């Protein structure tokens, strides 16, 4: 695929020139121009505000400035004039304001401490520097102190204080040993921000005598050392030995072992603290805790999140660091120290203040005599900074008056300036945390035009690409720029050119016939000047024969072609790449004039080969893939998309048609079915391709219809059954001549946005439809059904026009006709529009309401006259609201409801009304503008309805034969309550319902005692309210009367008798014994004492003999050794099958009369010929329990 890019020779200069007009007058950065123009001083370099100097070296205080004429310099020190001529140690650099104070030859830096300010002055004003505070650095020695050894018990916390000397600037602290090795730090041992060394808990390995704090003073490159600190850690074992050696045998001694402790904060102390930091600085918060095990620190911000991308944790998370803080970072920050025994926390309240910072700094202003301008100085800070102005270094209140100047807070307004108005103004913004000082000059110049672009400068561009011709200029007042083709040609204007504010002429699509001389003319009231430049439009470079995809056998030879066509005046260079890199340095690669040949191809030659053609103005490339195969490919038909057509040619160019011909590419074994022709409009839509037509695959020429004023390029795409080819290379361009528009705008509408206007809109023609330059529209309108003439206006290429002063909502006939520099389009069709709507004037009359039922009403009204609607009738709105409930006579908050009925209707239904209520309603007509006035309120009432269910039903005070019922009235009575209906019926133990009893209760009752009920019986109650309309929904409840007291007492008496209690205990003991025996037998493998049964039933020949005495062994089923499963032995009908076990209950018991309880567990006994033993019986899934046994006896 071929790629192409255009390199414009004028891009570099355009970047500068497009930035020229940024203020009333901006002086271009042209060195020759700057040397000639008068200019007030500007400070270009100065020392920092807080200037700390090395007291051993000369002090250099910088102050550099520029201006025309060159400025002179003076200094103040501590607010008074500093006469440098009277101090032999002080000199000023030539042509500069920089001071050099000689310290190395006898001067003392301390003698020159103070606040310095530089002033640069010429005849047009004075600029001043910041206040520069000079302070010599200091690196004092440590004060001598006697340091006692630190004796600490193992596990305790420890703080080694550094307390460095106060230096300027503050020193950098670090801890080392005698060997100048940094002491290792960790979560347990770390250095605080104040330089102290903190131990969360000490360990025996912390014992040493060379803890040394060092202070490094960077400014003077000196390091001061504190005396070594000794630390001895006593372990519990050694401490106990020491105590034992010093005590008698009768003394009690022994140190406590190392105990773990919950965290305690070493710094900061207390539970809260505060910190103030300035905006833009780095916020450092620190928490160091003691504890054993060593606490872990965690940070949170209360009520918010820590700022992402600006938050860092240092010193093993003991230090929270937030960079570039702002006011939003104010708040409470909590550090939490935690170990396995607990936690401690501290809250630091952070307030972010702000030194002044610029919102809008004042900018230099260059004006012409008689012009107006402003200097704006806006700054922010916390607290809000004060703004003050100076003129030439003097407070503006006492500066010489200037009638063209007016100060308004942070703005100075200039009007009708003159050359004497030139000055340098200083804006000072200050608060308690600092200040900002900015110089901005006002330079009033009267200069004739100057053209800064070199004369006869040559510009070269490729055809169909943009051309940018520079005309950099300056003048005061600002000159007007005009361009001409040739020396005496006509002025250039129209859509074919773009005129930039910096004087540059842009030709969007340069054509070959556009080559030649172009003249730029700059003029103002002080003069006129012109300059000529040359434009050469070159033919584009093209690859007419591109390299093609190759499949080659290993050790063969392959060649890629790259035949080019280029402008004869341009010298092309051809470069070949492999896989976007340089070709291998191999003699097998032969680069010819228009080809690349590879000899003796190997597998590593696989890849993509690219031919790149470069000229000084453009570059094109084309690529192809080489595939190396081991053997010749099996002869097979490969079907693929066709190759793109080539050699496109335009012939027979006419105003509205042209003939296009091409050569088809390879079909790739699938015949071409058709060709698709696309076009590009390089004048209006460069880079966008549109479908033009399609022709059969056997055709290679086509006559194309064209539109006027279009810069056509064509390309052809071949199509076969496999797919579409890549597009061909574009044809040469063909610009058709201009003509009248062929069509008018579409979608013309007239809709008013205000009662007295008509907004006419349309869809504009595209550049393709314009047929020529200067596209405009003739907009015509007249009032319909009135004998008026058409009113017309011609507007630019827009899509809207507003007609003002129209009557309200009147129909208009509208038409919009296109025209260009060559004439009008055909007569357009007329459309009907309306001027703007206004609110309706009258309300609907004869409003009537027909109440259909308690929740539905129908409202009728008469339509309003259409003339009073004053707009498009959209419908009617009914506003209705409930005034009060007739049953409660209580008013409530009015909630109006709205129903809209579309069209010219005269009635509507109001659903969802509340029964037995008073309502009001009114009706309004609606048009596109809004609603008209409301009709008089109409009152209507809804009839009664059935009530809602009672709000509650409670049943209390149960006795043997009575229950008390209490209820609440319905939340929505929906009328006058006439009574309550109570129905109830008993429910037996099988949940069957008994006979239903109904009672009617007066409406004013709220409770009832039901008597003559059955004791210990459950009743179900149904309760609802009634109005004259009918019964409402019911509420249900259930309740139970209490048990008969005599029966209850008898049961209690039996249960408390001694004989009953004894019987129960005996039964329980018996069952417990049975369970224990069964459990023991089962653990032995399920064996049974069945000697007698074996004698009667078993085959003697197969019974085992005991080895010791020859007696028969006990019988054991193999299944007995398996875990019991639920229902594994006993079927569901509680019978024991013979095949399940040879030892059935019939064989070992007294028949089948054994007893079973309800859950299937066997509770009887069975006996054989021997002594009775508990039988395993029925093996249920649930073992027998004392509770089950008791239940079976009761």
């Amino acid at each position: 695929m071929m790629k192409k890019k255009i390199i414009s020779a004028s891009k570099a200069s355009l970047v500068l020139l497009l930035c020229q007009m940024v203020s009333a007058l901006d002086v271009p950065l042209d060195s020759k121009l700057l040397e000639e123009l008068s200019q007030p001083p500007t400070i270009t370099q100065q020392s920092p505000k807080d200037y700390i100097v090395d007291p051993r070296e000369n002090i250099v205080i910088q102050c550099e400035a520029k201006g025309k004429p060159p400025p002179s310099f003076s200094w103040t020190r501590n607010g008074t004039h500093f006469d440098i001529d009277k101090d032999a140690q002080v000199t000023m650099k030539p042509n500069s304001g920089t001071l050099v104070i000689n310290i190395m030859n006898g001067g003392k830096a301390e003698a020159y401490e103070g606040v310095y300010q530089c002033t640069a002055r010429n005849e047009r004003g004075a600029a001043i520097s910041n206040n520069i505070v000079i302070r010599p650095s200091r690196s004092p020695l440590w004060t001598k102190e006697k340091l006692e050894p630190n004796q600490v018990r193992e596990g305790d916390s420890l703080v080694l204080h550094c307390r460095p000397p106060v230096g300027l600037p503050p020193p950098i602290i670090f801890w080392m040993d005698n060997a100048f090795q940094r002491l290792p730090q960790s979560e347990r041992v770390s250095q605080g921000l104040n330089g102290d060394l903190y131990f969360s808990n000490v360990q025996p390995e912390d014992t040493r005598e060379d803890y040394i704090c060092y202070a490094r003073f960077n400014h003077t490159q000196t390091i001061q050392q504190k005396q070594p600190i000794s630390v001895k850690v006593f372990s519990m074992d050694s401490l106990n030995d020491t105590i034992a050696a010093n005590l008698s045998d009768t003394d009690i001694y022994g140190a406590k072992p190392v105990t773990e402790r919950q965290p305690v904060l070493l710094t900061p102390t207390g539970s809260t603290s505060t910190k103030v930091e300035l905006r833009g600085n780095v916020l450092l918060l620190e928490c160091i805790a003691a504890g054993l095990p060593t606490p872990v620190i965690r940070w949170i911000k209360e009520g918010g999140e820590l700022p992402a991308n600006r938050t860092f944790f240092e010193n093993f998370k003991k230090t929270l660091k937030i960079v570039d803080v702002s006011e939003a970072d104010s708040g409470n920050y909590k550090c939490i120290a935690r170990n396995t025994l607990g936690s401690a926390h501290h809250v630091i309240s952070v307030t972010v203040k702000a030194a002044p910072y610029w919102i809008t700094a004042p900018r230099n202003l260059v004006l012409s005599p008689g012009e107006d301008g402003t200097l704006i100085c806006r700054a922010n800070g916390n607290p809000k900074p004060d703004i003050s102005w100076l003129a030439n270094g003097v407070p503006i209140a006492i500066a010489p008056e200037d009638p063209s100047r007016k100060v308004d807070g942070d703005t100075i307004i200039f009007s009708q300036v003159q050359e004497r108005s030139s000055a340098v103004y200083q804006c000072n913004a200050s608060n308690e945390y600092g200040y900002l000082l900015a110089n901005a000059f006002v330079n009033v110049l009267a200069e004739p035009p100057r053209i800064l672009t070199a004369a006869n400068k040559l510009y070269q561009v490729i055809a169909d690409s943009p051309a940018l011709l520079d005309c950099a200029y300056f003048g005061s007042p600002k000159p007007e720029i005009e361009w001409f083709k040739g020396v005496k040609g006509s002025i250039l204007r129209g859509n074919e050119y773009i005129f930039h504010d910096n004087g540059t002429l842009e030709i969007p699509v340069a054509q070959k016939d556009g080559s030649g001389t172009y003249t730029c003319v700059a003029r103002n009231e002080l003069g006129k000047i012109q300059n000529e430049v040359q434009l050469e439009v070159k033919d584009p470079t093209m690859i007419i024969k591109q390299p093609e995809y190759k499949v080659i056998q290993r050790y063969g030879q392959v060649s890629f072609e790259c035949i080019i066509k280029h402008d004869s005046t341009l010298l092309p260079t051809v470069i070949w790449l492999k896989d976007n890199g340089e070709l291998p340095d191999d003699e097998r690669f032969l680069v010819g004039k228009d080809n690349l040949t590879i000899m003796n191809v190997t597998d590593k030659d696989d890849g993509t080969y690219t031919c790149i053609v470069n000229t000084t103005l453009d570059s094109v490339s084309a690529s192809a893939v080489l595939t190396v195969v081991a053997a010749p490919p099996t002869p097979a038909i490969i079907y693929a998309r066709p190759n793109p057509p080539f050699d496109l040619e335009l012939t027979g160019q006419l105003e509205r048609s042209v003939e296009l011909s091409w050569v088809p590419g390879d079909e790739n074994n699938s015949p071409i079915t058709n060709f698709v022709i696309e076009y590009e409009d390089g004048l209006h839509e460069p880079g966008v391709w549109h479908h033009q037509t399609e022709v059969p695959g056997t055709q290679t020429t086509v006559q194309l219809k064209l539109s006027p004023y279009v810069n056509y390029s064509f390309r052809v795409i071949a199509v076969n059954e496999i797919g579409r080819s890549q597009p061909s290379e574009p044809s040469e361009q063909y610009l058709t001549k201009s003509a009248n528009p062929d069509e008018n705008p579409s979608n013309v509408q007239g809709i008013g946005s205000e009662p007295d206007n008509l907004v006419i809109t349309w869809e504009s023609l595209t550049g393709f439809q314009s047929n020529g330059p200067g596209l405009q529209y003739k907009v015509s309108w007249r009032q319909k059904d009135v004998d008026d003439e058409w009113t017309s206006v011609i507007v630019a290429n827009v899509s809207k026009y507003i007609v003002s002063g129209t009557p309200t909502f009147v129909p208009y006939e509208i038409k919009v006709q296109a025209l260009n520099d060559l004439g009008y389009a055909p007569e357009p069709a007329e459309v009907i529009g309306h001027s703007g709507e206004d609110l309706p004037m009258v309300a609907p009359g004869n409003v009537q309401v027909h109440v259909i039922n308690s929740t539905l009403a129908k409202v009728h009204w008469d339509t309003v006259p259409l003339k009073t609607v004053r707009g498009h009738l959209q419908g009617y709105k009914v506003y209705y609201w409930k005034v009060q409930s007739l049953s409660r006579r209580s008013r409530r908050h009015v909630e109006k409801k709205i129903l809209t009925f579309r069209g010219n209707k005269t009635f509507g239904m109001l659903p969802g009304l509340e029964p037995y209520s008073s309502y009001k309603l009114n009706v309004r007509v609606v048009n596109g503008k809004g609603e008209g006035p409301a009709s008089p309120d109409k009152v209507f009432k809804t009839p009664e309805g059935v009530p809602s269910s009672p709000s509650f039903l409670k049943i209390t005070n149960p006795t043997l034969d009575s229950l008390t019922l209490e209820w609440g009235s319905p939340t929505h009575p929906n009328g006058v309550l006439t009574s309550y209906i109570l129905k109830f019926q008993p429910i037996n133990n099988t949940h069957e319902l008994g006979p239903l009893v109904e009672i009617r209760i007066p409406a004013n009752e709220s409770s009832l005692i039901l008597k003559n009920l059955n004791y210990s019986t459950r009743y179900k109650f149904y309760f609802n309210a009634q109005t004259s309309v009918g019964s409402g929904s019911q509420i249900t409840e259930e309740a139970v009367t209490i048990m008969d007291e005599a029966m209850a007492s008898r049961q209690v008496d039996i249960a408390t008798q001694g004989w009953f209690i004894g019987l129960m205990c005996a039964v329980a003991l018996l069952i417990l014994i049975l369970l224990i025996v069964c459990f023991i037998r089962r653990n032995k493998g399920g064996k049974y004492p069945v000697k007698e049964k074996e004698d009667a039933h078993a085959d003697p020949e197969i019974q085992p003999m005991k080895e010791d005495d020859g007696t028969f062994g006990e019988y054991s089923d193999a299944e007995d050794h398996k875990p019991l499963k639920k229902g594994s032995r006993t079927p569901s009908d509680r019978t024991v099958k013979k095949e399940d076990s040879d030892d059935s209950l019939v064989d070992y018991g007294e028949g089948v009369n054994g007893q079973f309880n309800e859950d299937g567990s066997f509770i009887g006994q069975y006996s054989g010929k021997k002594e009775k033993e508990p039988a395993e019986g029925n093996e249920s899934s649930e073992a027998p329990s004392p509770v089950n046994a008791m239940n079976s006896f009761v």
Side-chain angles (χ1 to χ4, degrees), residues 836-857:
E837 300 181 57
D838 204 346
L839 294 177
M841 299 172 61
V842 300
N846 193 24
V847 177
Q848 300 293 330
V849 180
H850 172 57
V851 179
I852 297 175
N853 55 39
S854 60
T855 61
L856 180 66

Side-chain angles (χ1 to χ4, degrees), residues 909-929:
M909 306 299 287
L910 306 182
L913 304 177
E914 294 185 16
Y916 206 53
S917 300
S918 176
Y919 279 86
K920 286 185 178 180
L921 65 76
N922 59 52
V923 185
R924 311 176 192 197
V925 65
V926 183
N927 65 10
K929 188 72 173 179

Side-chain angles (χ1 to χ4, degrees), residues 368-385:
S368 303
E371 285 189 336
D372 302 336
T374 57
L375 287 179
I376 300 175
C377 175
R378 289 182 183 147
N380 203 355
N382 186 9
K384 184 76 174 177

Side-chain angles (χ1 to χ4, degrees), residues 664-805:
D666 195 334
E667 295 181 344
N668 292 327
N669 299 312
S670 178
I672 296 175
T673 57
N674 59 294
F675 292 99
V676 178
I677 291 88
E678 296 180 341
Y679 73 91
E680 175 197 27
D681 182 1
L683 186 61
H684 304 105
E685 292 182 289
V688 179
W689 290 90
H690 302 274
H691 183 270
Q692 173 86 5
T693 187
E694 292 187 21
V695 297
T698 57
Q699 186 174 328
T700 57
T701 61
V702 64
Q703 191 76 18
L704 300 176
K705 294 183 179 180
L706 307 179
S707 294
Y709 194 55
V710 177
N711 193 18
Y712 280 101
S713 290
F714 299 96
R715 68 182 186 185
V716 182
I717 301 171
V719 182
N720 63 10
E721 290 185 355
I722 308 302
R724 294 162 62 104
S725 72
Q726 293 293 326
S728 69
E729 289 299 310
S731 69
E732 62 180 294
Q733 291 189 329
Y734 176 47
L735 178 62
T736 56
K737 292 184 179 180
S738 303
N740 294 11
D742 292 328
E743 53 187 308
N744 287 303
S746 60
N747 196 21
V748 178
Q749 294 182 336
I751 302 173
S753 61
E754 297 294 338
D756 60 348
N757 76 6
L758 172 66
V759 180
I760 302 174
T761 59
W762 60 89
E763 290 185 7
S764 301
L765 300 181
T766 64
F768 182 85
Q769 297 169 313
S770 65
N771 285 8
L775 178 63
Q776 294 177 304
Y777 301 100
K778 178 182 179 182
V779 184
S780 304
W781 67 92
R782 67 180 178 185
Q783 189 171 334
K784 191 174 183 294
D785 301 327
V786 177
D787 191 15
D788 277 353
E789 296 292 330
W790 287 95
T791 302
S792 300
V793 64
I794 294 178
V795 298
N797 188 11
V798 295
S799 60
K800 180 172 71 173
Y801 182 77
I802 300 176
V803 180
S804 302

Side-chain angles (χ1 to χ4, degrees), residues 266-282:
L266 297 175
T267 183
T269 58
S271 60
T272 61
S273 59
T274 61
K275 183 175 180 64
V276 176
E277 191 55 80
L278 291 183
R279 177 182 183 270
N281 287 358
V282 176

Side-chain angles (χ1 to χ4, degrees), residues 1033-1048:
S1033 55
Q1034 64 184 11
I1035 184 173
T1036 64
E1037 279 291 344
E1038 293 185 9
V1040 183
T1041 55
I1042 65 174
M1043 185 183 297
D1044 180 69
E1045 296 177 357
M1047 289 183 63

